[in-house]
Amino acid sequence: MDTGFSLFDNEIGTRFAKRFASAAAVVHQSSLPHTTQELVSLRASQINGCGHCVDMHTKEAAAAGESAVRLHLVAAWRESTVFTDAERAALALTEEGTRLADGAPGVSEATWAAVREHYDDDQTAALVCLVGLINAANRMAVITHRKGGSYEAGMFAAALG
Protein backbone atom coordinates (compact mmCIF):
# COMPACT_ATOMS: atom_id res chain seq x y z
CA MET A 1 0.00 0.00 0.00
CA ASP A 2 1.27 3.47 -0.91
CA THR A 3 0.82 5.76 2.07
CA GLY A 4 2.43 8.75 0.39
CA PHE A 5 0.83 12.11 -0.23
CA SER A 6 1.51 14.34 -3.21
CA LEU A 7 1.74 17.98 -2.31
CA PHE A 8 1.52 18.73 -6.03
CA ASP A 9 -2.02 17.31 -6.22
CA ASN A 10 -3.25 19.80 -3.65
CA GLU A 11 -3.98 23.52 -4.11
CA ILE A 12 -2.19 24.63 -0.95
CA GLY A 13 0.73 22.31 -1.60
CA THR A 14 1.04 23.55 -5.18
CA ARG A 15 0.93 27.21 -4.15
CA PHE A 16 3.55 26.57 -1.47
CA ALA A 17 5.74 24.60 -3.86
CA LYS A 18 5.77 27.49 -6.35
CA ARG A 19 6.90 29.92 -3.66
CA PHE A 20 9.44 27.44 -2.33
CA ALA A 21 10.79 27.01 -5.86
CA SER A 22 11.04 30.79 -6.21
CA ALA A 23 13.16 30.92 -3.05
CA ALA A 24 15.32 28.10 -4.42
CA ALA A 25 15.72 30.02 -7.68
CA VAL A 26 17.26 32.95 -5.77
CA VAL A 27 19.94 30.60 -4.46
CA HIS A 28 20.37 28.83 -7.80
CA GLN A 29 20.91 32.16 -9.58
CA SER A 30 23.42 33.37 -6.98
CA SER A 31 27.20 33.37 -7.42
CA LEU A 32 27.52 30.31 -5.17
CA PRO A 33 29.00 27.71 -7.54
CA HIS A 34 26.40 25.30 -8.89
CA THR A 35 28.65 22.35 -8.08
CA THR A 36 28.77 23.46 -4.44
CA GLN A 37 25.00 23.83 -4.41
CA GLU A 38 24.51 20.23 -5.56
CA LEU A 39 27.11 18.84 -3.15
CA VAL A 40 25.47 20.67 -0.24
CA SER A 41 22.00 19.48 -1.25
CA LEU A 42 23.23 15.93 -1.66
CA ARG A 43 25.01 15.85 1.72
CA ALA A 44 22.06 17.24 3.68
CA SER A 45 19.76 14.78 1.91
CA GLN A 46 22.04 11.89 2.84
CA ILE A 47 22.07 12.94 6.49
CA ASN A 48 18.28 13.31 6.52
CA GLY A 49 17.69 9.98 4.77
CA CYS A 50 15.72 11.56 1.94
CA GLY A 51 15.87 9.10 -0.95
CA HIS A 52 13.94 11.39 -3.29
CA CYS A 53 16.35 14.30 -2.77
CA VAL A 54 19.47 12.10 -2.89
CA ASP A 55 18.18 10.76 -6.20
CA MET A 56 17.42 14.24 -7.52
CA HIS A 57 20.66 15.94 -6.55
CA THR A 58 22.89 13.04 -7.59
CA LYS A 59 21.29 12.98 -11.04
CA GLU A 60 21.27 16.77 -11.45
CA ALA A 61 24.94 16.97 -10.45
CA ALA A 62 25.88 14.13 -12.82
CA ALA A 63 23.96 15.77 -15.67
CA ALA A 64 25.88 18.99 -14.99
CA GLY A 65 29.16 17.09 -15.36
CA GLU A 66 30.01 16.16 -11.78
CA SER A 67 32.20 13.05 -11.60
CA ALA A 68 30.93 9.76 -10.22
CA VAL A 69 33.94 9.60 -7.89
CA ARG A 70 33.06 12.88 -6.18
CA LEU A 71 29.36 12.00 -5.95
CA HIS A 72 30.20 8.65 -4.36
CA LEU A 73 32.54 10.29 -1.87
CA VAL A 74 30.24 13.07 -0.62
CA ALA A 75 29.15 10.91 2.32
CA ALA A 76 32.82 10.52 3.32
CA TRP A 77 34.09 13.94 2.27
CA ARG A 78 36.31 14.35 5.34
CA GLU A 79 38.21 11.18 4.39
CA SER A 80 38.47 12.09 0.70
CA THR A 81 40.96 14.07 -1.36
CA VAL A 82 38.64 15.12 -4.19
CA PHE A 83 37.04 18.23 -2.65
CA THR A 84 38.44 21.75 -2.57
CA ASP A 85 38.92 23.64 0.69
CA ALA A 86 35.94 25.83 -0.24
CA GLU A 87 33.74 22.76 -0.83
CA ARG A 88 34.92 21.28 2.47
CA ALA A 89 33.88 24.48 4.26
CA ALA A 90 30.44 24.32 2.62
CA LEU A 91 30.04 20.64 3.48
CA ALA A 92 31.04 21.29 7.10
CA LEU A 93 28.47 24.09 7.33
CA THR A 94 25.88 21.78 5.80
CA GLU A 95 26.53 19.02 8.32
CA GLU A 96 26.62 21.32 11.32
CA GLY A 97 23.50 23.17 10.16
CA THR A 98 21.65 19.93 9.43
CA ARG A 99 22.50 18.01 12.60
CA LEU A 100 20.88 20.49 15.00
CA ALA A 101 18.38 17.90 16.24
CA ASP A 102 21.25 15.54 17.09
CA GLY A 103 22.13 17.79 20.02
CA ALA A 104 24.93 19.42 18.10
CA PRO A 105 25.89 22.93 19.20
CA GLY A 106 25.28 24.43 15.76
CA VAL A 107 27.90 25.84 13.44
CA SER A 108 31.34 26.04 15.02
CA GLU A 109 33.59 29.09 14.91
CA ALA A 110 36.11 27.08 12.89
CA THR A 111 33.51 26.25 10.25
CA TRP A 112 32.35 29.87 10.09
CA ALA A 113 35.96 31.00 9.67
CA ALA A 114 36.45 28.53 6.81
CA VAL A 115 33.20 29.59 5.12
CA ARG A 116 34.12 33.27 5.39
CA GLU A 117 37.61 32.57 4.05
CA HIS A 118 36.20 31.03 0.86
CA TYR A 119 32.87 32.76 0.24
CA ASP A 120 31.87 36.40 -0.07
CA ASP A 121 28.76 37.84 1.61
CA ASP A 122 26.37 36.93 -1.21
CA GLN A 123 27.72 33.40 -1.47
CA THR A 124 27.57 32.96 2.30
CA ALA A 125 23.95 34.15 2.35
CA ALA A 126 23.12 31.77 -0.50
CA LEU A 127 24.85 28.91 1.32
CA VAL A 128 22.95 29.52 4.56
CA CYS A 129 19.64 29.81 2.67
CA LEU A 130 20.41 26.63 0.72
CA VAL A 131 21.08 24.63 3.88
CA GLY A 132 17.74 25.81 5.27
CA LEU A 133 15.88 25.10 2.03
CA ILE A 134 17.27 21.61 1.47
CA ASN A 135 16.54 20.63 5.04
CA ALA A 136 12.94 21.81 4.60
CA ALA A 137 12.66 19.97 1.27
CA ASN A 138 14.06 16.79 2.84
CA ARG A 139 11.53 16.94 5.65
CA MET A 140 8.57 17.47 3.32
CA ALA A 141 9.68 14.62 1.05
CA VAL A 142 10.25 12.22 3.95
CA ILE A 143 6.97 13.19 5.66
CA THR A 144 5.00 12.58 2.44
CA HIS A 145 6.91 9.33 1.67
CA ARG A 146 8.49 10.47 -1.61
CA LYS A 147 10.83 7.70 -2.71
CA GLY A 148 14.05 7.87 -4.69
CA GLY A 149 14.70 6.14 -7.97
CA SER A 150 12.39 7.63 -10.56
CA TYR A 151 13.79 11.15 -10.85
CA GLU A 152 15.33 12.19 -14.16
CA ALA A 153 17.62 15.18 -14.50
CA GLY A 154 15.66 18.29 -15.47
CA MET A 155 12.32 17.14 -14.02
CA PHE A 156 12.27 19.83 -11.31
CA ALA A 157 13.03 22.62 -13.77
CA ALA A 158 10.38 21.27 -16.16
CA ALA A 159 7.77 21.17 -13.38
CA LEU A 160 8.37 24.87 -12.73
CA GLY A 161 8.10 25.76 -16.42
Short mmCIF file of all heavy atoms in Angstrom, two decimals, residues 116-156:
data_model
loop_
_atom_site.label_atom_id
_atom_site.label_comp_id
_atom_site.label_asym_id
_atom_site.label_seq_id
_atom_site.Cartn_x
_atom_site.Cartn_y
_atom_site.Cartn_z
N ARG A 116 33.84 31.86 5.68
CA ARG A 116 34.12 33.27 5.39
C ARG A 116 35.43 33.45 4.63
O ARG A 116 35.60 34.42 3.90
CB ARG A 116 34.11 34.08 6.69
CG ARG A 116 32.76 34.08 7.39
CD ARG A 116 31.60 34.53 6.50
NE ARG A 116 31.77 35.95 6.23
CZ ARG A 116 31.28 36.59 5.17
NH1 ARG A 116 30.57 35.95 4.28
NH2 ARG A 116 31.49 37.86 5.01
N GLU A 117 36.35 32.51 4.79
CA GLU A 117 37.61 32.57 4.05
C GLU A 117 37.38 32.32 2.56
O GLU A 117 38.06 32.89 1.71
CB GLU A 117 38.59 31.52 4.60
CG GLU A 117 39.91 31.46 3.86
CD GLU A 117 40.83 30.38 4.40
OE1 GLU A 117 40.61 29.91 5.54
OE2 GLU A 117 41.75 29.98 3.67
N HIS A 118 36.39 31.47 2.24
CA HIS A 118 36.20 31.03 0.86
C HIS A 118 35.01 31.65 0.13
O HIS A 118 34.94 31.57 -1.09
CB HIS A 118 36.08 29.51 0.81
CG HIS A 118 37.32 28.82 1.26
ND1 HIS A 118 38.46 28.76 0.50
CD2 HIS A 118 37.62 28.19 2.42
CE1 HIS A 118 39.40 28.11 1.15
NE2 HIS A 118 38.91 27.75 2.32
N TYR A 119 34.09 32.24 0.86
CA TYR A 119 32.87 32.76 0.24
C TYR A 119 32.62 34.20 0.63
O TYR A 119 32.79 34.59 1.79
CB TYR A 119 31.66 31.89 0.65
CG TYR A 119 31.80 30.45 0.19
CD1 TYR A 119 32.15 29.44 1.08
CD2 TYR A 119 31.61 30.11 -1.14
CE1 TYR A 119 32.31 28.13 0.66
CE2 TYR A 119 31.76 28.81 -1.57
CZ TYR A 119 32.11 27.82 -0.67
OH TYR A 119 32.27 26.53 -1.09
N ASP A 120 32.19 35.01 -0.36
CA ASP A 120 31.87 36.40 -0.07
C ASP A 120 30.48 36.48 0.60
O ASP A 120 29.84 35.45 0.84
CB ASP A 120 31.95 37.25 -1.34
CG ASP A 120 30.92 36.89 -2.42
OD1 ASP A 120 29.85 36.32 -2.10
OD2 ASP A 120 31.19 37.20 -3.60
N ASP A 121 30.03 37.68 0.90
CA ASP A 121 28.76 37.84 1.61
C ASP A 121 27.59 37.23 0.87
O ASP A 121 26.75 36.55 1.47
CB ASP A 121 28.48 39.33 1.89
CG ASP A 121 29.37 39.92 2.96
OD1 ASP A 121 30.10 39.15 3.64
OD2 ASP A 121 29.33 41.15 3.14
N ASP A 122 27.50 37.48 -0.43
CA ASP A 122 26.37 36.93 -1.21
C ASP A 122 26.42 35.41 -1.25
O ASP A 122 25.39 34.74 -1.11
CB ASP A 122 26.37 37.49 -2.64
CG ASP A 122 25.95 38.94 -2.71
OD1 ASP A 122 25.39 39.46 -1.71
OD2 ASP A 122 26.16 39.56 -3.77
N GLN A 123 27.59 34.85 -1.43
CA GLN A 123 27.72 33.40 -1.47
C GLN A 123 27.43 32.79 -0.11
O GLN A 123 26.81 31.73 -0.02
CB GLN A 123 29.12 33.01 -1.94
CG GLN A 123 29.38 33.37 -3.39
CD GLN A 123 30.83 33.23 -3.77
OE1 GLN A 123 31.74 33.50 -2.97
NE2 GLN A 123 31.08 32.82 -5.01
N THR A 124 27.86 33.46 0.95
CA THR A 124 27.57 32.96 2.30
C THR A 124 26.08 32.98 2.56
O THR A 124 25.52 32.02 3.09
CB THR A 124 28.32 33.80 3.35
OG1 THR A 124 29.74 33.68 3.12
CG2 THR A 124 28.01 33.33 4.77
N ALA A 125 25.41 34.07 2.17
CA ALA A 125 23.95 34.15 2.35
C ALA A 125 23.26 33.04 1.56
O ALA A 125 22.36 32.37 2.06
CB ALA A 125 23.45 35.52 1.89
N ALA A 126 23.71 32.82 0.33
CA ALA A 126 23.12 31.77 -0.50
C ALA A 126 23.35 30.40 0.13
O ALA A 126 22.44 29.55 0.15
CB ALA A 126 23.71 31.80 -1.91
N LEU A 127 24.53 30.19 0.68
CA LEU A 127 24.85 28.91 1.32
C LEU A 127 23.97 28.66 2.54
O LEU A 127 23.41 27.57 2.70
CB LEU A 127 26.33 28.90 1.70
CG LEU A 127 26.93 27.62 2.25
CD1 LEU A 127 26.72 26.45 1.29
CD2 LEU A 127 28.43 27.83 2.49
N VAL A 128 23.81 29.66 3.39
CA VAL A 128 22.95 29.52 4.56
C VAL A 128 21.50 29.26 4.14
O VAL A 128 20.83 28.36 4.68
CB VAL A 128 23.04 30.78 5.46
CG1 VAL A 128 21.97 30.77 6.54
CG2 VAL A 128 24.43 30.88 6.08
N CYS A 129 21.02 30.02 3.16
CA CYS A 129 19.64 29.81 2.67
C CYS A 129 19.47 28.43 2.06
O CYS A 129 18.45 27.77 2.28
CB CYS A 129 19.28 30.89 1.65
SG CYS A 129 19.13 32.54 2.37
N LEU A 130 20.48 27.96 1.32
CA LEU A 130 20.41 26.63 0.72
C LEU A 130 20.33 25.54 1.77
O LEU A 130 19.53 24.61 1.64
CB LEU A 130 21.63 26.40 -0.19
CG LEU A 130 21.73 25.03 -0.84
CD1 LEU A 130 20.50 24.73 -1.70
CD2 LEU A 130 23.01 24.94 -1.66
N VAL A 131 21.13 25.64 2.81
CA VAL A 131 21.08 24.63 3.88
C VAL A 131 19.68 24.60 4.50
O VAL A 131 19.12 23.53 4.73
CB VAL A 131 22.18 24.87 4.94
CG1 VAL A 131 21.98 23.97 6.15
CG2 VAL A 131 23.56 24.65 4.32
N GLY A 132 19.10 25.76 4.74
CA GLY A 132 17.74 25.81 5.27
C GLY A 132 16.72 25.23 4.31
O GLY A 132 15.85 24.44 4.69
N LEU A 133 16.83 25.58 3.03
CA LEU A 133 15.88 25.10 2.03
C LEU A 133 15.96 23.59 1.83
O LEU A 133 14.93 22.92 1.77
CB LEU A 133 16.12 25.81 0.69
CG LEU A 133 15.61 27.23 0.57
CD1 LEU A 133 16.17 27.90 -0.69
CD2 LEU A 133 14.08 27.24 0.54
N ILE A 134 17.17 23.06 1.71
CA ILE A 134 17.27 21.61 1.47
C ILE A 134 16.81 20.82 2.67
O ILE A 134 16.18 19.77 2.53
CB ILE A 134 18.69 21.19 0.99
CG1 ILE A 134 18.67 19.73 0.48
CG2 ILE A 134 19.72 21.37 2.07
CD1 ILE A 134 17.73 19.45 -0.67
N ASN A 135 17.05 21.32 3.86
CA ASN A 135 16.54 20.63 5.04
C ASN A 135 15.02 20.64 5.06
O ASN A 135 14.39 19.64 5.40
CB ASN A 135 17.14 21.23 6.32
CG ASN A 135 18.47 20.61 6.65
OD1 ASN A 135 18.54 19.54 7.22
ND2 ASN A 135 19.56 21.30 6.28
N ALA A 136 14.41 21.75 4.68
CA ALA A 136 12.94 21.81 4.60
C ALA A 136 12.42 20.86 3.52
O ALA A 136 11.45 20.12 3.73
CB ALA A 136 12.48 23.24 4.32
N ALA A 137 13.08 20.86 2.36
CA ALA A 137 12.66 19.97 1.27
C ALA A 137 12.78 18.51 1.69
O ALA A 137 11.89 17.69 1.41
CB ALA A 137 13.49 20.24 0.02
N ASN A 138 13.88 18.17 2.36
CA ASN A 138 14.06 16.79 2.84
C ASN A 138 12.92 16.40 3.76
O ASN A 138 12.36 15.30 3.64
CB ASN A 138 15.37 16.65 3.62
CG ASN A 138 16.62 16.76 2.79
OD1 ASN A 138 17.70 16.99 3.34
ND2 ASN A 138 16.54 16.63 1.48
N ARG A 139 12.59 17.26 4.69
CA ARG A 139 11.53 16.94 5.65
C ARG A 139 10.19 16.74 4.96
O ARG A 139 9.46 15.81 5.26
CB ARG A 139 11.47 18.01 6.73
CG ARG A 139 12.57 17.77 7.76
CD ARG A 139 13.03 19.04 8.45
NE ARG A 139 14.04 18.77 9.46
CZ ARG A 139 15.31 18.49 9.20
NH1 ARG A 139 15.74 18.44 7.95
NH2 ARG A 139 16.17 18.26 10.17
N MET A 140 9.86 17.62 4.02
CA MET A 140 8.57 17.47 3.32
C MET A 140 8.54 16.18 2.51
O MET A 140 7.53 15.48 2.49
CB MET A 140 8.30 18.69 2.44
CG MET A 140 7.94 19.91 3.26
SD MET A 140 7.48 21.35 2.27
CE MET A 140 9.07 21.86 1.66
N ALA A 141 9.65 15.85 1.85
CA ALA A 141 9.68 14.62 1.05
C ALA A 141 9.61 13.38 1.92
O ALA A 141 8.91 12.41 1.59
CB ALA A 141 10.93 14.59 0.18
N VAL A 142 10.30 13.38 3.06
CA VAL A 142 10.25 12.22 3.95
C VAL A 142 8.87 12.10 4.59
O VAL A 142 8.30 11.00 4.65
CB VAL A 142 11.37 12.32 5.03
CG1 VAL A 142 11.18 11.26 6.11
CG2 VAL A 142 12.74 12.16 4.37
N ILE A 143 8.30 13.21 5.03
CA ILE A 143 6.97 13.19 5.66
C ILE A 143 5.93 12.63 4.70
O ILE A 143 5.06 11.85 5.10
CB ILE A 143 6.57 14.61 6.13
CG1 ILE A 143 7.40 15.02 7.35
CG2 ILE A 143 5.07 14.69 6.45
CD1 ILE A 143 7.30 16.50 7.68
N THR A 144 6.01 13.01 3.42
CA THR A 144 5.00 12.58 2.44
C THR A 144 5.39 11.29 1.72
O THR A 144 4.72 10.88 0.78
CB THR A 144 4.75 13.70 1.40
OG1 THR A 144 5.97 14.01 0.73
CG2 THR A 144 4.17 14.94 2.06
N HIS A 145 6.46 10.64 2.18
CA HIS A 145 6.91 9.33 1.67
C HIS A 145 7.31 9.35 0.20
O HIS A 145 7.07 8.39 -0.53
CB HIS A 145 5.82 8.27 1.89
CG HIS A 145 5.56 7.97 3.31
ND1 HIS A 145 4.89 6.86 3.72
CD2 HIS A 145 5.87 8.62 4.46
CE1 HIS A 145 4.78 6.85 5.04
NE2 HIS A 145 5.38 7.92 5.50
N ARG A 146 7.97 10.42 -0.24
CA ARG A 146 8.49 10.47 -1.61
C ARG A 146 9.72 9.58 -1.67
O ARG A 146 10.63 9.71 -0.87
CB ARG A 146 8.85 11.90 -2.00
CG ARG A 146 7.62 12.78 -1.92
CD ARG A 146 7.35 13.66 -3.01
NE ARG A 146 8.13 13.47 -4.20
CZ ARG A 146 7.81 14.02 -5.33
NH1 ARG A 146 6.74 14.74 -5.44
NH2 ARG A 146 8.56 13.85 -6.40
N LYS A 147 9.74 8.68 -2.59
CA LYS A 147 10.83 7.70 -2.71
C LYS A 147 11.81 8.10 -3.80
O LYS A 147 11.45 8.77 -4.76
CB LYS A 147 10.27 6.31 -3.02
CG LYS A 147 9.25 5.81 -2.01
CD LYS A 147 9.86 5.59 -0.66
CE LYS A 147 8.84 5.01 0.31
NZ LYS A 147 9.12 5.33 1.67
N GLY A 148 13.04 7.65 -3.67
CA GLY A 148 14.05 7.87 -4.69
C GLY A 148 14.01 6.80 -5.75
O GLY A 148 13.51 5.70 -5.51
N GLY A 149 14.55 7.12 -6.91
CA GLY A 149 14.70 6.14 -7.97
C GLY A 149 14.10 6.52 -9.29
O GLY A 149 14.59 6.09 -10.34
N SER A 150 13.06 7.33 -9.30
CA SER A 150 12.39 7.63 -10.56
C SER A 150 12.71 9.01 -11.11
O SER A 150 12.26 9.36 -12.20
CB SER A 150 10.87 7.49 -10.39
OG SER A 150 10.39 8.43 -9.45
N TYR A 151 13.48 9.79 -10.40
CA TYR A 151 13.79 11.15 -10.85
C TYR A 151 14.70 11.11 -12.07
O TYR A 151 15.60 10.28 -12.16
CB TYR A 151 14.47 11.96 -9.73
CG TYR A 151 14.69 13.40 -10.11
CD1 TYR A 151 13.68 14.33 -9.96
CD2 TYR A 151 15.89 13.80 -10.66
CE1 TYR A 151 13.88 15.66 -10.33
CE2 TYR A 151 16.10 15.13 -11.05
CZ TYR A 151 15.09 16.03 -10.88
OH TYR A 151 15.28 17.34 -11.26
N GLU A 152 14.45 12.01 -13.00
CA GLU A 152 15.33 12.19 -14.16
C GLU A 152 15.79 13.64 -14.17
O GLU A 152 15.01 14.55 -13.88
CB GLU A 152 14.58 11.87 -15.46
CG GLU A 152 14.18 10.41 -15.56
CD GLU A 152 13.40 10.11 -16.85
OE1 GLU A 152 13.53 10.88 -17.81
OE2 GLU A 152 12.68 9.12 -16.85
N ALA A 153 17.07 13.84 -14.48
CA ALA A 153 17.62 15.18 -14.50
C ALA A 153 16.75 16.12 -15.33
O ALA A 153 16.30 15.78 -16.41
CB ALA A 153 19.04 15.17 -15.05
N GLY A 154 16.47 17.29 -14.79
CA GLY A 154 15.66 18.29 -15.47
C GLY A 154 14.20 18.28 -15.10
O GLY A 154 13.46 19.19 -15.46
N MET A 155 13.75 17.25 -14.38
CA MET A 155 12.32 17.14 -14.02
C MET A 155 11.86 18.32 -13.17
O MET A 155 10.76 18.84 -13.37
CB MET A 155 12.02 15.83 -13.31
CG MET A 155 11.98 14.63 -14.20
SD MET A 155 11.74 13.08 -13.28
CE MET A 155 10.01 13.20 -12.85
N PHE A 156 12.68 18.73 -12.21
CA PHE A 156 12.27 19.83 -11.31
C PHE A 156 12.12 21.11 -12.12
O PHE A 156 11.12 21.82 -11.98
CB PHE A 156 13.28 19.99 -10.18
CG PHE A 156 12.87 21.02 -9.17
CD1 PHE A 156 11.83 20.77 -8.28
CD2 PHE A 156 13.50 22.25 -9.12
CE1 PHE A 156 11.43 21.72 -7.36
CE2 PHE A 156 13.12 23.21 -8.19
CZ PHE A 156 12.08 22.95 -7.30
#
